[in-house]
RNA sequence: GUGGAUGUAGCUCAGUGGUAGAGCCCCGGAUUGUGGCUCCGGUGGUCGUGGGUUCGAUCCCCAUCAUCCACCCCA
């Protein structure tokens, strides 16, 4: 029916009023959490030079090859809508000298864009909350990030429903060496590889380990393990990280096949996953990317970060029925005037009440209608109290206070006493 | 990019080769200045879009678009 009319771009969703309270609930938990851990917010543009993403995420990744919204600026530059947040964050911190012998703990939040086929938990415009830290090379900061996310899950009631998966990719040298070993192994078993894997063979052989194809499972089970080919420093880093997690009581599962899609990762990688969302079960993922800053032209700088998918977490909260009842606090007061004169008075009275009662959620009826229909709207508004202003009230400087949610006689009060009356009533709500 | 399912009222959905229905929502009335429950009445649809078959298509066929799910990939 809307086919000839303009409608939202595929995979880009409107966030409707019924949903926004849940988003705000989630966002306020995140914001408070970040403050409590001493992380500062950074906001970077949604559009960057295409080259930034190509050089950081990796030229041959799916994201860069076929999923970016890329277009030419009027001056001929190739620009792209950001498909993830790390690249822009690195660019911004480098550009403003924030990495110059400094430690940074940063977070951000906002929309990302990838041109993929939409499905449950995957959209073309989606939202991430990301955290990036710079200048810290030990496993302590890796652990802090995991502890931070674990605390968020606990606060939201999700902790029992997510699993932490861990792996180490080693140094880039160790990873490259392992890659050669793996390629040699796959060459020996090339006839077992399926079509997808043969494609990955030349692009990203590590990803073959991630295949869900049961026919390849026996061969993959025998494949050389990344963890067996770690360099000494990476192995030590990983062991120190897992020791901290054990002391902190955070359970984890080492997943040797956890590779991560983006090229810039090294050493620690982790994912929080759930089985409650169908095939898009990764709800938060990240890792170390010690080489990226240098790769983008900066001084060598240790870096760790992660990103979580807001839509997926919202979906998870809904699926598990963990949506808080009071996410949308109802109105306290619905104020109505019975005719045009009284409505004018109601608008002015509403302002005076808001001056005096800043915590009071008050809506003034607009749009006229019969007295009866106005009362109906007061009821539908969810307000606890209705304040009725008619000719009779106006001539006596009074107002009628009607209880919409409790068995209680309505009362007339002098307007001069209204603030005090409401203060009492709202206090014992 | 590939595969499958689904498109009928604002929402959830029935339905039939002969120009469409329910529930909810919304509006009005039963109540003169009083909501919820009940009853009565009402608004609202070129049946996703385009084409084909037919005397006639919302229904059958084709195409297309959209949504959902899965693959791929990823948060």
């Amino acid at each position: 029916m809307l086919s000839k009319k303009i409608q939202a771009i595929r995979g880009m969703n409107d966030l409707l009023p019924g949903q926004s309270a849940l988003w705000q609930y989630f966002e306020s938990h995140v914001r408070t959490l970040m403050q409590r851990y001493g992380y500062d917010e950074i906001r970077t543009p949604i559009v960057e030079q295409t080259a930034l993403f190509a050089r950081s995420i990796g030229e041959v990744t799916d994201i860069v090859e076929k999923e970016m919204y890329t277009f030419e600026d009027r001056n001929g530059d190739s620009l792209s809508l950001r498909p993830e947040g790390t690249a822009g964050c690195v660019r911004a911190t480098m550009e403003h000298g924030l990495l110059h012998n400094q430690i940074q703990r940063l977070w951000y939040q906002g929309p990302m864009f990838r041109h993929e086929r939409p499905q449950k938990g995957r959209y073309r415009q989606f939202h991430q909350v990301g955290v990036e830290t710079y200048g810290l090379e030990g496993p302590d900061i890796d652990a802090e990030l995991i502890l931070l996310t674990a605390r968020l899950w606990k606060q939201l009631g999700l902790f029992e429903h997510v699993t932490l998966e861990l792996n180490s990719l080693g140094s880039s040298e160790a990873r490259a060496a392992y890659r050669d070993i793996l390629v040699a192994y796959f060459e020996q078993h090339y006839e077992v590889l399926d079509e997808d894997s043969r494609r990955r063979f030349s692009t990203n052989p590590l990803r073959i380990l991630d295949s869900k194809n049961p026919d390849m499972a026996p061969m993959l089970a025998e494949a050389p393990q990344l963890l067996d080919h770690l360099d000494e420093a990476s192995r030590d880093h990983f062991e120190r990280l897992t020791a901290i997690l054990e002391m902190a009581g955070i359970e984890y599962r080492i997943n040797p096949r956890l590779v991560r899609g983006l090229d810039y990762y090294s050493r620690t990688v982790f994912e929080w996953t759930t089985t409650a969302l169908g095939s898009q079960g990764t709800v938060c993922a990240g890792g170390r990317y010690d080489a990226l800053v240098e790769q983008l032209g900066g001084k060598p700088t240790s870096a760790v970060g992660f990103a979580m998918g807001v839509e997926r977490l919202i979906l998870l909260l809904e699926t598990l029925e963990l949506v808080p009842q009071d996410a949308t606090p109802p109105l306290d007061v619905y104020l109505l005037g019975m005719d045009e004169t009284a409505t004018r008075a109601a608008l002015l009275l509403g302002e005076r009440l808001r001056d005096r009662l800043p915590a009071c959620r008050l809506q003034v009826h607009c749009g006229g209608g019969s007295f009866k229909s106005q009362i109906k709207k007061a009821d539908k508004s969810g307000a606890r109290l209705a304040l009725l202003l008619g000719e009779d009230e106006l001539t006596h400087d009074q107002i009628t206070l009607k209880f919409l949610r409790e068995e209680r006689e309505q009362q007339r009060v002098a307007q001069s006493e209204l603030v005090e009356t409401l203060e009492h009533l709202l206090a014992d709500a």
Side-chain angles (χ1 to χ4, degrees), chain A residues 119 122 194 196-197 200 207-217 220 257 278-282:
Chain A
Q119 72 184 73
R122 193 179 71 184
D194 61 19
D196 279 333
S197 298
R200 290 173 184 146
R207 287 218 68 88
I208 296 175
L209 294 170
D210 237 353
S211 172
K212 293 166 193 163
N213 186 342
D215 295 339
M216 287 169 44
L220 292 177
R257 298 177 177 184
S279 67
Q280 309 300 325
T282 301

Side-chain angles (χ1 to χ4, degrees), chain A residues 13 43 52 63 103 135 141 150 189 228 258 267 272-273 284 316 331 350-351 362 365 410:
Chain A
N13 301 312
R43 302 190 190 192
L52 172 66
I63 292 178
I103 288 169
I141 186 63
H189 300 273
D228 295 331
L258 182 61
R267 290 199 175 169
W272 289 95
T273 60
C284 173
L316 189 55
L331 288 176
E351 288 306 305
L362 178 151
H365 176 84
Q410 69 182 37

Side-chain angles (χ1 to χ4, degrees), chain A residues 54-163:
Chain A
R55 279 164 57 186
S56 56
I57 296 167
E59 301 272 2
V60 297
T61 56
D62 278 13
I63 292 178
V64 168
E65 273 187 337
K66 49 194 186 195
E67 294 177 0
M68 284 208 296
Y69 282 90
T70 296
F71 58 96
E72 222 176 68
D73 194 6
R74 289 183 187 278
N75 60 12
D77 293 341
S78 179
L79 308 182
S80 293
L81 266 45
R82 62 184 185 192
E84 53 93 60
T86 300
C89 186
V90 170
R91 194 227 83 229
T93 50
M94 284 171 55
E95 187 168 329
H96 296 96
L98 301 185
L99 302 184
H100 193 76
N101 294 328
Q102 291 184 64
I103 288 169
Q104 295 290 348
R105 284 176 164 97
L106 305 172
W107 74 280
Y108 56 83
Q109 178 255 44
M112 308 294 165
F113 302 85
R114 292 182 199 172
H115 190 102
E116 301 179 272
R117 274 287 270 273
Q119 72 184 73
K120 186 177 188 179
R122 193 179 71 184
Y123 310 100
R124 289 186 173 179
Q125 175 176 334
F126 62 103
H127 295 76
Q128 288 187 335
V129 168
V131 166
E132 314 290 352
T133 72
Y134 302 102
L136 295 164
E137 62 180 349
D140 46 2
I141 186 63
D142 302 23
E144 175 171 291
L145 294 184
I146 290 169
L147 291 169
L148 181 154
T149 50
R151 180 174 295 275
L152 182 62
W153 311 148
K154 285 174 185 166
Q155 286 181 0
L156 297 172
L158 295 174
F159 191 65
E160 307 305 318
H161 304 279
V162 291
T163 304

Side-chain angles (χ1 to χ4, degrees), chain A residues 34-35 37-42 104-108 130 132:
Chain A
M34 296 306 172
Q35 287 167 351
Y37 277 78
Y39 285 61
D40 296 318
E41 186 179 3
I42 184 169
Q104 295 290 348
R105 284 176 164 97
L106 305 172
W107 74 280
Y108 56 83
E132 314 290 352

